[in-house]
Amino acid sequence: MALSYANEMWEGEEVAAARAELAEKTLTDITKFIGARVHVEEKYAKLLGSKTSKVRSEGGTIGVGWQSIRDQQNHQLSTNYEHFSQKMLNDIVNPMEARRKQHFNDKSKLSNDFAQLKKEHKRREAELNDKKTHYYKCCEALEKEKRKLDESSKNPNYPPAKLTKLQTAVSDFEAKQQQARKVYMDGVADFNAFKKKYEDGMRLLLSEYQNMDQRRLETIRDSLQAYIKHIDDSASSFLQFCDACRDQLATVSATKDMKEYLEGLSQEKPPKPDQYEEYRSGSSNSAVAGEDGEDLAMGVVAPGYQPLPKISLLGYSRNRVVRAQYDFAGSDGLDLKFSYGDVIVVIKEDESGWCVGELMGRRGLFPLCMVKAFGDEDFVGAHSFWPPQGYDTLVVQHDFAGEEENELSAKEGDILIVTGTYGEWCTAESKEGRTGLFPLCFALQSKS
């Protein structure tokens, strides 16, 4: 590159300095990018390894296969981190960071050298300008004295002594002018010699900038090539891991696992289901043992009896119990869904026509227009005959002693009216006006 003293030299230095700044930023960005990849690889490997190491596995081919895949994955991740992340750190990130620091130091030194060279140039230029100014002043003074001598020589009345003095002064100014001219010419020669050294120094510094940038570009090229190679090696390792997993899965057999599982079960036969036994006075079967070995307070367990969820009916007056006249699906999670014939306990009423009710342990909102309240005629106290008409009835076949406060106890032969059914249970009313849950398997049911 051809450089001139006035223009291209200074422009070349500014361009080189700007490029050096951009080059340093590029080194920083690439180093951060690869360093972030190393950090993510390490974090992912450790996190996934810690998660999968806590997984428990069953036996059989599927358990062995899963355990093998998990172990191979953990090993592959560990190997991947060791050979990928760590090698990237050592082979790429650290060298890139070292190059970035060296680039910064080289750039700072070159910038300082440029500043010193330019400072020396300005100093010498100022000295030359001072010599030039002094020489020009001597020339002007000499010309002034020569004009005065010439004018005085033309005047016949001018005193000879003064004329001689003027001639001496002119001679002195000529000597000073010659001396100043010599100093100025020597200064020009010295400055031209310095200018040559200055331009050589500028070329040298610009060449150093170019070499510095060349080293940076080579480092980036080598680092990115190493990065791609590490990724390729990691992909090859992962493919080997996948092949090993496929080989392991090929050994999985659902039929074999099920056969081994069934063969490993206990050969004892399961216990027979409980059978209904008629009560006999004085016999040893006057009570049927429960699941925990304790006798049930209700006496004989009827066929099909299963405990179900219970609702809280006690504690509410009868005029706050209503029967559903329609199905109500509700519009959101706050509504109480029910079906036709369900018996609902009213918790709170509102002037808007909506109520808060409870059904099988669930509470929610429902409109009053979709239910019918029980009146006095619906209950025992208002009737001379039992059971009242219009209700399904139950004829109790076995004594039932409720274990919960919301269960309705009854004796064999009692007649109950059904106010709602819930699977194997119902809500019922006794002749005495007691209400509660009653198991359908303890009675014979007749429709209204």
Side-chain angles (χ1 to χ4, degrees):
M1 176 172 64
L3 298 174
S4 66
Y5 164 73
N7 297 317
E8 295 180 0
M9 182 72 72
W10 300 104
E11 184 179 354
E13 187 273 335
E14 292 175 358
V15 171
R19 180 172 175 80
E21 289 290 341
L22 182 62
E24 183 180 0
K25 184 178 184 304
T26 301
L27 280 170
T28 301
D29 291 343
I30 295 177
T31 303
K32 287 183 178 179
F33 164 72
I34 300 179
R37 175 66 184 268
V38 171
H39 175 71
V40 170
E41 288 285 338
E42 177 183 8
K43 184 177 180 181
Y44 172 74
K46 292 181 178 179
L47 178 62
L48 187 57
S50 65
K51 292 291 185 182
T52 57
S53 62
K54 298 178 182 179
V55 177
R56 293 183 179 179
S57 157
E58 63 179 84
T61 60
I62 188 64
V64 174
W66 155 237
Q67 181 72 32
S68 176
I69 292 175
R70 185 189 71 185
D71 293 343
Q72 289 184 58
Q73 174 184 263
N74 291 343
H75 174 71
Q76 193 269 342
L77 287 172
S78 176
T79 304
N80 186 70
Y81 170 64
E82 179 181 357
H83 295 289
F84 181 79
S85 303
Q86 198 63 37
K87 284 182 69 65
M88 280 207 304
L89 187 66
N90 296 332
D91 298 348
I92 303 175
V93 177
N94 292 341
M96 286 283 288
E97 179 62 18
R99 171 52 56 194
R100 187 193 67 80
K101 293 180 179 179
Q102 185 62 46
H103 182 88
F104 175 79
N105 294 334
D106 293 344
K107 181 195 69 173
S108 300
K109 181 180 181 302
L110 287 173
S111 178
N112 183 65
D113 292 343
F114 264 113
Q116 293 295 326
L117 193 58
K118 288 188 287 186
K119 182 179 179 181
E120 180 64 17
H121 175 271
K122 289 183 179 181
R123 185 186 69 80
R124 288 177 176 266
E125 188 177 41
E127 289 181 353
L128 182 61
N129 286 333
D130 291 342
K131 293 176 181 179
K132 178 181 178 181
T133 301
H134 179 66
Y135 169 66
Y136 283 1
K137 287 182 178 180
C138 290
C139 290
E140 290 174 356
L142 178 61
E143 289 179 353
K144 182 178 178 181
E145 291 298 323
K146 282 184 176 181
R147 284 194 302 268
K148 186 187 293 186
L149 177 62
D150 186 56
E151 292 174 358
S152 300
S153 298
K154 294 178 181 180
N155 185 1
N157 298 321
Y158 194 79
K162 290 185 177 181
L163 185 61
T164 302
K165 187 176 181 180
L166 286 174
Q167 290 174 345
T168 303
V170 169
S171 299
D172 292 340
F173 275 105
E174 285 179 347
K176 290 180 180 180
Q177 186 262 355
Q178 291 296 325
Q179 179 64 28
R181 182 174 180 274
K182 183 180 183 306
V183 171
Y184 174 52
M185 291 181 67
D186 292 342
V188 170
D190 291 342
F191 187 76
N192 287 334
F194 168 75
K195 185 175 69 172
K196 174 94 171 43
K197 295 180 180 179
Y198 172 79
E199 291 183 354
D200 291 342
M202 291 291 283
R203 287 190 181 92
L204 179 61
L205 292 177
L206 289 173
S207 177
E208 286 296 326
Y209 262 121
Q210 182 176 349
N211 293 336
M212 177 182 70
D213 201 35
Q214 183 68 25
R215 291 191 296 270
R216 176 188 70 91
L217 293 174
E218 290 175 355
T219 299
I220 293 176
R221 180 200 61 197
D222 295 343
S223 297
L224 292 181
Q225 287 178 348
Y227 178 70
I228 297 300
K229 184 179 184 303
H230 288 321
I231 291 180
D232 188 51
D233 293 343
S234 177
S236 299
S237 175
F238 188 76
L239 290 176
Q240 293 176 4
F241 159 69
C242 292
D243 291 340
C245 291
R246 292 190 190 96
D247 294 341
Q248 187 62 50
L249 287 176
T251 65
V252 174
S253 171
T255 303
K256 182 179 179 181
D257 284 1
M258 182 57 66
K259 180 179 180 180
E260 291 180 355
Y261 173 73
L262 293 176
E263 290 176 351
L265 295 178
S266 172
Q267 299 300 319
E268 296 181 2
K269 295 183 179 180
K272 295 181 179 181
D274 293 338
Q275 301 293 329
Y276 170 72
E277 298 180 8
E278 186 64 46
Y279 174 78
R280 295 182 179 84
S281 178
S283 65
S284 60
N285 62 351
S286 60
V288 180
E291 292 182 356
D292 295 332
E294 298 179 357
D295 293 342
L296 299 177
M298 66 180 70
V300 179
V301 178
Y305 171 78
Q306 294 290 336
L308 294 175
K310 305 176 179 63
I311 61 174
S312 299
L313 293 178
L314 299 181
Y316 301 104
S317 59
R318 284 181 296 174
N319 60 358
R320 298 174 71 184
V321 179
V322 296
R323 181 192 293 274
Q325 300 298 301
Y326 310 92
D327 293 341
F328 177 61
S331 59
D332 55 42
L334 298 178
D335 293 339
L336 178 65
K337 299 178 182 179
F338 53 76
S339 303
Y340 170 81
D342 287 344
V343 176
I344 305 166
V345 178
V346 178
I347 306 300
K348 182 179 180 181
E349 298 183 25
D350 188 82
E351 296 178 357
S352 64
W354 285 75
C355 297
V356 177
E358 178 177 296
L359 173 63
M360 292 295 291
R362 297 181 289 107
R363 289 193 179 188
L365 297 170
F366 68 93
L368 275 175
C369 61
M370 303 192 73
V371 299
K372 176 182 177 183
F374 285 115
D376 290 339
E377 69 277 10
D378 295 312
F379 291 92
V380 180
H383 286 275
S384 302
F385 300 97
W386 184 260
Q389 296 180 356
Y391 290 95
D392 295 342
T393 59
L394 295 175
V395 179
V396 179
Q397 300 296 303
H398 312 283
D399 293 347
F400 175 72
E403 294 182 315
E404 305 291 342
E405 62 178 2
N406 62 346
E407 293 178 349
L408 176 61
S409 299
K411 300 265 186 201
E412 180 181 355
D414 287 349
I415 298 177
L416 309 175
I417 61 171
V418 179
T419 57
T421 58
Y422 310 94
E424 299 295 331
W425 289 76
C426 71
T427 51
E429 177 92 13
S430 70
K431 185 175 182 180
E432 293 78 16
R434 295 180 289 106
T435 60
L437 288 168
F438 190 83
L440 292 174
C441 59
F442 275 75
L444 295 176
Q445 185 176 6
S446 62
K447 300 290 183 179
S448 59

